[in-house]
Amino acid sequence: MLAQVILTPAESKKLVSLAIARMDIIKRAARDGMVIMHPSSSTYFIFEELTGMKPKTNYWVCGVVAPRGTCVEMAMLFGGHSPSPENYNPRDLRGLWAIRKGEVILEATLSELLEQMTADDVYIKGVNALDTQGNAGILIGEPVQGGALGVVLSAWRKKRFTFIYPAGLEKLIPIPVEQAAREAKKAHYEYGMGLPAGLFPCPEGKVITEINAVELLSGAAAIPIAAGGLGGAEGAATLVIKGTNEQVRCAIEYIERSKGTRLPPLRLCNCSDCPVPDCKFPLGDKHWVTG
């Protein structure tokens, strides 16, 4: 049986979250150990699937690529979740979501959470780049070298917990992530639309795209045949679903559950009032800068 489906980026995130929440390693870690999620448009839906509720925080994303440039969610700057820019230490970040033995944890620092992790636990992080070989990369705009990801990697090298990377096909770039990372020298940018960011290749882990999600949920194969669209379908993925009648119908059921998904509103500072000292945005009279 063949079917053609279309998923907007938000709908893809929902579909991927349905698959990740049903992975044995995730269910086991949430029940018996720990799952840590870096807040993002991808993990927002994973948290919802695992707990049955939306995150009870005043933020849902940390760093973001917005139309005007790379930026930071307002609550991360003013809500006490992130250390002040003047005394920034990523170990003190309080903005992560965690589930430990079935209990939701929202206020612990990054260092406190990582101290409790073991090799049986899972860290989930959304990504910003995906190459055709399945390698993922993450933008890092924090002033401290390596940022929060560097702290997580230091703990991972000692404890070897599992990384899961939800990655929609909208993240595809046409060159290897390693090559792109070599060119992203944020310290050398003389102009930047927003906060300068480098690209860090993700360490070993499991990348879950719409293709993987369809297979995990139904056993069917998903083949991308087109990308993009208009009228709200910008960044959309058009897929052919292939398999037995039962597999394809199962895939369609999950895909239809994802249709119509919307992300919460994005809240960004007014550029003229932003407290982030490293932002290189030359405001001037740019007519396309709003908010």
Side-chain angles (χ1 to χ4, degrees):
M1 181 178 177
L2 289 178
Q4 176 190 300
V5 301
I6 296 170
L7 290 162
T8 67
E11 293 166 350
S12 287
K13 294 174 194 293
K14 179 66 173 180
L15 179 69
V16 168
S17 77
L18 292 172
I20 289 176
R22 286 159 178 76
M23 294 173 66
D24 288 340
I25 189 173
I26 298 293
K27 292 189 291 185
R28 184 168 55 249
R31 182 187 66 238
D32 302 326
M34 181 181 292
V35 175
I36 299 178
M37 289 162 275
H38 196 101
S40 68
S41 58
S42 299
T43 54
Y44 178 83
F45 296 120
I46 298 172
F47 182 95
E48 189 176 31
E49 285 299 313
L50 288 174
T51 66
M53 63 182 183
K54 299 181 187 301
K56 293 182 178 179
T57 56
N58 64 345
Y59 57 89
W60 59 276
V61 68
C62 294
V64 62
V65 177
R68 70 188 185 200
T70 45
C71 199
V72 180
E73 210 281 337
M74 186 181 294
M76 297 305 296
L77 295 173
F78 300 108
H81 308 294
S82 182
S84 65
E86 297 80 13
N87 303 299
Y88 185 81
N89 185 335
R91 295 180 181 277
D92 298 329
L93 180 68
R94 290 184 179 273
L96 284 82
W97 303 325
I99 302 170
R100 184 173 184 271
K101 294 185 177 179
E103 178 186 356
V104 174
I105 302 171
L106 297 176
E107 293 300 325
T109 65
L110 176 59
S111 62
E112 289 169 345
L113 292 172
L114 292 174
E115 284 174 6
Q116 301 175 50
M117 291 195 82
T118 72
D120 296 323
D121 297 331
V122 180
Y123 192 97
I124 307 177
K125 179 77 172 74
V127 304
N128 304 100
L130 177 70
D131 66 24
T132 56
Q133 302 303 309
N135 303 303
I138 295 171
L139 290 176
I140 299 179
E142 294 165 276
V144 175
Q145 184 67 27
L149 181 60
V151 176
V152 176
L153 285 176
S154 178
W156 171 75
R157 292 187 185 101
K158 298 175 183 176
K159 301 188 177 186
R160 309 304 288 189
F161 46 81
T162 298
F163 277 111
I164 301 288
Y165 305 113
L169 295 173
E170 59 161 328
K171 307 289 187 180
L172 276 172
I173 61 173
I175 62 174
V177 164
E178 289 277 357
Q179 179 184 345
R182 289 195 294 271
E183 300 296 335
K185 303 172 183 177
K186 69 174 184 175
H188 299 283
Y189 300 160
E190 295 181 17
Y191 173 97
M193 288 187 179
L195 188 66
L199 183 68
F200 190 92
C202 294
E204 61 186 71
K206 300 178 186 297
V207 175
I208 307 295
T209 68
E210 298 93 322
I211 297 171
N212 307 110
V214 167
E215 183 178 6
L216 286 167
L217 291 167
S218 69
I223 301 95
I225 64 168
L230 296 173
E234 294 85 353
T238 301
L239 309 173
V240 165
I241 310 299
K242 179 180 179 181
T244 66
N245 290 352
E246 182 181 0
Q247 288 173 332
V248 174
R249 290 192 180 104
C250 180
I252 291 172
E253 179 181 341
Y254 281 109
I255 289 166
E256 289 190 345
R257 284 180 57 182
S258 305
K259 293 298 292 182
T261 296
R262 298 286 186 273
L263 289 165
L266 188 60
R267 303 173 304 172
L268 304 178
C269 292
N270 187 304
C271 286
S272 60
D273 299 326
C274 180
V276 179
D278 298 311
C279 186
K280 289 185 177 293
F281 214 137
L283 279 179
D285 59 351
K286 303 293 190 294
H287 68 88
W288 40 269
V289 177
T290 57

